[in-house]
Amino acid sequence: MFDDPNLVAHAGLVPVMRLAERCGLSDLVTQKVKLTGTTNGAGAAADSKISSIVAGMAAGADSIDDLAMLRHGAVPTLFGGIRAPSTLGTFLRAFTHGHALQLHAVHRRFLAALAARTPLLPGSGEKAFIDVDSTHKRVYGRTKQGAEYGRFKGIRTLHPLIGTVCTPHTRPVIAGARMRRGKAADSRGAPREALATAVEAGCTGTRILRADSQFYNAGVIAACHRASAHFSITTGMNPSIKRAVLGIPDGSWQQITYPTAVPDPETGELISDAEVAEIPEYTAFASRKKTDRVTARLFVRRVCDLAKPAVVGERGELFPVWRHHPFFTDQPAATLQAERTPPSRRGRAGHRGQQGRGPGPSASGHFHANAAWLTLWAMTYNLLRAAGSLASAFHAKATTATLRAHLVQVPARIARSARRITLHLPHNWPWEQAWTHLFDQAVVDQFRVMLAAVRAPQPWTPGRAQDIAVRIGPYVERAHTRPGDDHGTDMIAVALVPPDTPHAAAYRRGR
């Protein structure tokens, strides 16, 4: 029977959403998102509505209707301001292009706050990779705005662009997500947002933008130069590249073995061994004006073409047939080190950042509602990655589906005592230690920040008395405002009391 009002199916939302509040999600939305001009009140309480959508996505919602999962059991007791799916749908449909840009600003600053308060991108001060890629999302229905016949014949798609940031030791986080119509060019608006967001997220060392041949143009490379970033872009085999490749001497090719086999971008065959060569100075875009020409290094990887068998006679193979994969870069690494990550991995890094079941970008028939939904999904993805980095080393690299299963979708029962709520979690939960560590980092550390704030108190306003007791480590904190104390309206007085004092037991009961 579905009759217990004290059960929670997603107790992991407590530390996850507390982490979001700690990183200022609600404050950022209040400052940046202004839905003015709506006649139905859709723009009211934007912070609560966006927090509701992010919480629902963190729990696994992949449509507006699925956000109703936040209204079950004791979830409204744990979280205030939860809105109905119909209200959230009305809110999203009120978005315009300008409002979507406001939400992009929230996404960038929220990622920067997550990176500053969690080990989300360790080593970003030394080296970071920025991967840009586009994808096509098939949609159905002729009334869906922006859906057009594009690259795939007979299939209507939306064409979102994804930019990710990662370090050599971490999974990628989403630095930019922009919805585009189905016929939009792949490189339109590609690198600028991702490059700027990477700097805001603390990537101050060497930054390398990686992309596939759809982004091989003078505009993308110029954007990298303006951002003081390096580039590594697959070029494709145009006539100029073919002439350069044919001019490479046979003695210049070096054997390379990849640590793990990678799929060939054309045939899908796994590749472990290849040969690479470098042209130290290759001038790209030579037919354009002089300011657009770029001289850098051209690397070429060649593998035997298994799709076209070599000519075989009675005496064996006469000559091998090679397939070439060039890429253009200005990174300072040595030849074999620069080629250690093959081009087949570069352009799809944005897709790897989306591993695990994630909500599709077409939750509504309105284009700007889908644009807002995509940005909120990117924010949720980054939030889960930050929560995983706080939980354990394993969860720092786990997929989104694993993070939800281990840390978010944890059943619990609530109990009330002395105006306090206690979560009773399952006995022998396999990931109890990781969940507890996440809770301590996200919830308890936030209280420690508040303790530091009361060292510089503001004048206290009468009528704001509170009586709170919280256990942290070996001490019990008692909070009780009294007339004459100096406190702000949003602060509490805290007295650190060792557990062995005569009144410690009373403090634990909150009296």
Side-chain angles (χ1 to χ4, degrees):
M1 296 179 64
F2 295 86
D3 60 351
D4 195 333
N6 295 320
L7 296 181
V8 178
H10 306 96
L13 289 178
V14 174
V16 170
M17 295 310 297
R18 185 63 64 90
L19 176 61
E21 291 304 308
R22 177 183 170 188
C23 294
L25 176 60
S26 296
D27 294 337
L28 288 172
V29 173
T30 302
Q31 296 170 10
K32 298 295 181 180
V33 181
K34 308 290 183 181
L35 269 73
T36 57
T38 58
T39 58
N40 56 0
D47 54 342
S48 296
K49 294 174 182 177
I50 286 181
S51 296
S52 297
I53 297 174
V54 170
M57 289 182 173
D62 58 2
S63 68
I64 294 177
D65 290 339
D66 286 351
L67 298 174
M69 68 173 61
L70 296 178
R71 309 183 80 189
H72 77 274
V75 174
T77 303
L78 296 175
F79 302 98
I82 295 177
R83 299 301 195 268
S86 58
T87 302
L88 300 176
T90 302
F91 170 70
L92 291 174
R93 288 188 290 272
F95 270 69
T96 63
H97 177 66
H99 299 137
L101 294 180
Q102 294 173 0
L103 197 58
H104 289 161
V106 174
H107 168 249
R108 292 193 301 269
R109 287 162 177 78
F110 185 56
L111 175 59
L114 288 172
R117 290 171 172 80
T118 66
L120 185 60
L121 292 169
S124 59
E126 300 177 2
K127 179 184 286 187
F129 298 104
I130 304 166
D131 298 287
V132 180
D133 198 11
S134 61
T135 183
H136 286 267
K137 172 67 177 180
R138 185 175 185 177
V139 296
Y140 303 89
R142 298 184 178 275
T143 60
K144 191 175 291 292
Q145 297 176 354
E148 297 174 336
Y149 297 109
R151 177 178 301 178
F152 303 101
K153 183 177 180 180
I155 298 177
R156 296 167 58 87
T157 65
L158 293 173
H159 193 185
L161 178 71
I162 306 294
T164 66
V165 177
C166 68
T167 67
H169 311 291
T170 64
R171 276 189 174 270
V173 296
I174 299 177
R178 181 160 299 196
M179 180 63 67
R180 304 178 303 175
R181 64 189 184 94
K183 288 185 178 180
D186 285 330
S187 61
R188 181 180 179 182
R192 289 174 295 178
E193 183 176 359
L195 289 168
T197 305
V199 176
E200 292 186 34
C203 300
T204 56
T206 301
R207 300 184 304 280
I208 302 175
L209 183 136
R210 306 183 295 190
D212 60 19
S213 58
Q214 301 296 332
F215 299 90
Y216 177 62
N217 59 67
V220 171
I221 295 178
C224 293
H225 288 163
R226 288 193 298 268
S228 300
H230 298 286
F231 60 86
S232 181
I233 304 175
T234 304
T235 64
M237 291 295 289
N238 58 47
S240 176
I241 297 292
K242 287 182 179 179
R243 289 193 298 269
V245 170
L246 293 177
I248 298 176
D250 292 337
S252 299
W253 296 97
Q254 303 180 50
Q255 187 72 24
I256 184 173
T257 300
Y258 298 112
T260 57
V262 297
D264 188 285
E266 296 183 11
T267 65
E269 298 286 341
L270 293 180
I271 301 173
S272 297
D273 299 304
E275 294 182 355
V276 297
E278 175 187 355
I279 300 177
E281 294 185 358
Y282 172 79
T283 301
F285 320 116
S287 62
R288 299 174 64 98
K289 59 183 181 180
K290 189 174 182 179
T291 56
D292 290 341
R293 300 172 189 172
V294 180
T295 300
R297 308 162 73 186
L298 180 68
F299 288 90
V300 183
R301 171 172 62 101
R302 71 178 187 180
V303 297
C304 288
D305 193 347
L306 301 179
K308 299 177 181 178
V311 179
V312 179
E314 295 181 356
R315 297 182 180 180
E317 182 181 80
L318 296 179
F319 59 87
V321 179
W322 299 100
R323 188 168 59 255
H324 299 88
H325 303 281
F327 68 96
F328 191 52
T329 181
D330 66 345
Q331 61 172 308
T335 301
L336 295 182
Q337 183 180 356
E339 176 57 17
R340 188 60 63 181
T341 301
S344 60
R345 287 183 177 180
R346 281 192 182 87
R348 299 299 165 186
H351 290 191
R352 292 202 314 272
Q354 304 173 48
Q355 286 183 356
R357 188 177 65 87
S362 55
S364 171
H366 294 254
F367 180 82
H368 297 302
N370 291 331
W373 182 265
L374 179 64
T375 304
L376 290 171
W377 167 71
M379 293 167 59
T380 306
Y381 173 86
N382 294 339
L383 176 61
L384 290 175
R385 293 249 59 89
S389 68
L390 290 178
S392 68
F394 167 78
H395 291 97
K397 296 185 177 182
T399 63
T400 307
T402 300
L403 293 176
R404 286 195 179 101
H406 292 186
L407 303 177
V408 178
Q409 297 170 347
V410 184
R413 178 177 57 85
I414 70 168
R416 298 176 178 86
S417 176
R419 293 173 291 175
R420 291 178 297 177
I421 296 177
T422 303
L423 280 174
H424 293 272
L425 302 169
H427 181 59
N428 287 334
W429 184 254
W431 306 280
E432 174 185 355
Q433 185 175 358
W435 196 96
T436 303
H437 193 261
L438 169 62
F439 184 87
D440 290 342
Q441 295 290 318
V443 178
V444 178
D445 282 2
Q446 183 180 12
F447 193 81
R448 289 196 178 104
V449 173
M450 186 172 59
L451 296 183
V454 299
R455 296 176 181 174
Q458 300 295 327
W460 173 69
T461 302
R464 302 288 294 180
Q466 300 181 45
D467 192 356
I468 304 173
V470 179
R471 173 182 288 277
I472 300 180
Y475 295 98
V476 177
E477 279 76 17
R478 175 173 172 76
H480 181 67
T481 55
R482 299 176 299 276
D485 288 347
D486 291 331
H487 303 281
T489 57
D490 57 346
M491 296 181 183
I492 60 175
V494 177
L496 297 179
V497 182
D500 55 352
T501 59
H503 303 290
Y507 289 167
R508 292 191 185 96
R509 293 193 296 271
R511 291 194 264 178

